[in-house]
Amino acid sequence: MNLDAIRRSSHPVAGDASDYDPLLELIGDAPIVLIGEASHGTHEFYRERAAITRRLIEEKGFQAVAVEADWPDAYRVNRWVRGSTDDADAEEALAGFQSRYPTWMWRNADVLDFCGWLRGYNDAVARNDAKAGFYGVDLYSLYSSIEEVIRYLEQVDPEAAVRARRRYACFDHYGEEAQAYGYAAAFGASQTCQDEVVSQLTELRRRAAELSGRDGHIPRDEFFYAEQNARLVKNAEEYYRSMFGSRASSWNLRDAYMAETIDALVAHLARPGRPSKLVVWEHNSHLGDARATEMAARGELNVGQLVRERYGRDAVLIGFSTYTGTVTASDDWDEPARRKRVNPGLRGSYEEVLHQVSSTPYYLTFRDGDGAAAEELMGPRLQRAIGVIYRPDTERLSHYFHAQLPKQFDAMIHFDDTRAVEPLDRGGPWHSAEPPETYPSGI
């Protein structure tokens, strides 16, 4: 392998304002930018992703950040960064992420800083429709979303709220344990709630114009919020049933839902003469094109693949990588966050090759598969993925898969020695009725 050729193609990240100029030039006018992470607990990934996003908002007019988080919890942050909430500060606005494992994934110092910046940016913007938002695209919040649909309807149509409560009562037998519902429904121990959740979503959509304008004191965006909660409930019901079938089925349902939510946000944020521009933050495993990894052989797709298929060159996919350092992660589900040492990248892996190129931060671009870096790194090679759990003792089996990096991403940012993200909560509640974020895959 010609490491010198890869070095000549690299762009250093030295902490200067101009570091990402070539990356922003590659992005150009693309309205969809997906920015990944190789773990859910690395400071540099969160910090640099935020830095790139700030430039996209300030310089290219991006209107929103969509993150791998549940819709109700992220929407609370959205209200705060837009100045339409009673939450006192960014930490309070992030409190929705405090009740369910892994709390550090979005309640950490880097996200806190970014939300504070976003609020300051929005406060300086005169027009409300020019403010940048913060949204979640994941689907674990079945019971929280049910509550939000009913809360909205109680404000605009109490009779409709009664109907919604009656439909959603189908889940009451499970004590807000979504996995218990999924198990019982999947194995025929009880009837499913499929008809009820579809009926509720259908009614909301049929009455969209009427409900969104019913009360002049309720912002029209609140109907969109309620509709997306109802759609989440419909998809979450199916997802929890699928969890007890094949891994590919549940993974595909989740990523298809996240891609649909991105589409819904693109449509919602569009204004006459002003197309939508959206940044997405998720794990590399969701945002790198699955067709360039062994996921495809398992029948799995992901957000990156679906977005590329829909938007083509209007989407740019960016990944992150590290060779060693520390990471915030757990030993197992629902266990406390720990600062864990990351093993050096396995021999022959992308992590090792990128380490050999340089020990100082840099990035490579691969769009169109041309250039020396793309040719040298075509692979396939092993690539590491650390989610909310890190098991270094079984690292090859637990955290590596084969990929073709230049086909998987349009750019890869490498930090050789990284450190763990700083959680806002060093203890706190680790158990909740809702399943953990990212369950069961960890990413």
Side-chain angles (χ1 to χ4, degrees):
M1 174 173 289
N2 189 341
L3 295 178
D4 286 336
I6 301 175
R7 290 188 190 102
R8 288 192 294 271
S9 300
S10 68
H11 304 278
V13 177
D16 298 331
S18 60
D19 281 348
Y20 293 110
D21 285 356
L23 184 61
L24 265 70
E25 183 177 349
L26 180 150
I27 291 169
D29 295 326
I32 310 292
V33 177
L34 313 184
I35 311 180
E37 58 188 3
S39 87
H40 282 317
T42 300
H43 159 66
E44 286 80 2
F45 301 160
Y46 282 85
R47 181 192 67 196
E48 297 303 305
R49 185 166 57 181
I52 296 166
T53 300
R54 288 197 296 270
R55 291 196 62 181
L56 291 174
I57 291 171
E58 290 181 317
E59 300 173 30
K60 292 183 176 289
F62 275 63
Q63 301 142 295
V65 183
V67 306
E68 187 183 335
D70 287 327
W71 182 257
D73 298 334
Y75 206 83
R76 178 172 176 177
V77 179
N78 180 61
R79 290 189 177 111
W80 185 79
V81 299
R82 289 176 174 273
S84 59
T85 179
D86 294 330
D87 285 330
D89 53 28
E91 184 169 357
E92 189 173 335
L94 289 164
F97 298 111
Q98 196 170 17
S99 63
R100 186 159 85 255
Y101 170 91
T103 61
W104 74 86
M105 188 169 161
W106 298 111
R107 280 183 59 82
N108 63 62
D110 295 297
V111 174
L112 185 74
D113 288 346
F114 176 76
C115 291
W117 175 86
L118 191 54
R119 173 63 183 264
Y121 173 86
N122 284 338
D123 285 348
V125 173
R127 293 190 352 262
N128 188 61
D129 65 355
K131 297 179 188 293
F134 188 95
Y135 302 92
V137 297
D138 223 330
L139 51 47
Y140 291 102
S141 59
L142 187 149
Y143 286 99
S144 298
S145 290
I146 285 174
E147 292 173 3
E148 291 302 303
V149 173
I150 293 171
R151 183 194 63 80
Y152 171 79
L153 289 173
E154 285 175 339
Q155 296 177 80
V156 298
D157 189 337
E159 291 183 4
V162 171
R163 291 194 297 273
R165 195 180 296 277
R166 187 181 304 121
R167 290 178 179 126
Y168 291 146
C170 176
F171 294 101
D172 289 350
H173 306 293
Y174 305 97
E176 297 196 357
E177 289 284 351
Q179 291 164 266
Y181 162 75
Y183 182 86
F187 293 103
S190 70
Q191 291 185 330
T192 74
C193 297
Q194 183 176 14
D195 290 345
E196 288 82 355
V197 297
V198 170
S199 295
Q200 184 55 51
L201 177 60
T202 300
E203 178 179 334
L204 264 182
R205 287 178 167 169
R206 187 180 67 247
R207 302 182 63 206
E210 175 192 354
L211 291 173
S212 61
R214 176 66 65 88
D215 188 329
H217 299 292
I218 300 174
R220 294 180 66 88
D221 277 1
E222 290 298 302
F223 174 81
F224 176 67
Y225 172 61
E227 180 189 22
Q228 293 308 304
N229 274 306
R231 188 173 67 86
L232 187 153
V233 173
K234 182 191 80 69
N235 283 270
E237 184 276 332
E238 184 179 5
Y239 175 78
Y240 287 121
R241 284 189 284 115
S242 75
M243 281 175 55
F244 298 94
S246 71
R247 181 188 188 279
S249 176
S250 59
W251 174 277
N252 289 351
L253 279 169
R254 182 182 172 208
D255 274 52
Y257 169 80
M258 291 194 286
E260 288 171 9
T261 304
I262 291 168
D263 291 342
L265 282 167
V266 167
H268 176 69
L269 296 170
R271 299 291 184 269
R274 186 188 178 204
S276 301
K277 290 192 170 186
L278 183 67
V279 188
V280 181
W281 294 359
E282 298 191 45
H283 196 277
N284 282 354
S285 299
H286 294 294
L287 299 189
D289 193 327
R291 294 170 297 183
T293 77
E294 66 182 51
M295 293 170 62
R298 298 196 299 262
E300 295 174 353
L301 48 77
N302 69 0
V303 173
Q305 173 185 337
L306 295 171
V307 167
R308 268 187 174 168
E309 288 174 345
R310 180 175 178 93
Y311 297 97
R313 295 182 64 83
D314 281 342
V316 176
L317 282 54
I318 302 167
F320 275 95
S321 173
T322 184
Y323 177 70
T324 191
T326 59
V327 66
T328 298
S330 293
D331 294 330
D332 213 334
W333 289 109
D334 270 351
E335 293 190 2
R338 301 182 186 278
R339 186 185 299 270
K340 310 187 76 171
R341 172 61 56 180
V342 177
N343 288 337
L346 288 181
R347 185 170 183 176
S349 67
Y350 278 118
E351 287 72 23
E352 186 195 44
V353 172
L354 296 176
H355 162 70
Q356 291 172 344
V357 169
S358 178
S359 61
T360 58
Y362 66 96
Y363 61 95
L364 301 164
T365 59
F366 308 119
R367 174 147 278 205
D368 299 325
D370 56 2
E375 182 177 347
E376 294 294 330
L377 293 170
M378 190 56 70
R381 289 178 176 271
L382 288 173
Q383 183 182 91
R384 180 162 53 194
I386 299 174
V388 297
I389 296 168
Y390 181 46
R391 298 186 175 115
D393 292 341
T394 59
E395 186 164 50
R396 170 62 183 90
L397 177 64
S398 302
H399 299 289
Y400 278 90
F401 60 96
H402 285 93
Q404 291 181 280
L405 185 61
K407 293 183 178 180
Q408 184 186 15
F409 291 103
D410 295 305
M412 175 59 71
I413 304 170
H414 182 74
F415 280 77
D416 206 55
D417 192 347
T418 52
R419 65 180 175 87
V421 75
E422 294 289 338
L424 299 182
D425 311 294
R426 297 304 179 91
W430 291 95
H431 299 275
S432 168
E434 301 281 19
E437 296 270 10
T438 77
Y439 185 85
S441 66
I443 48 180

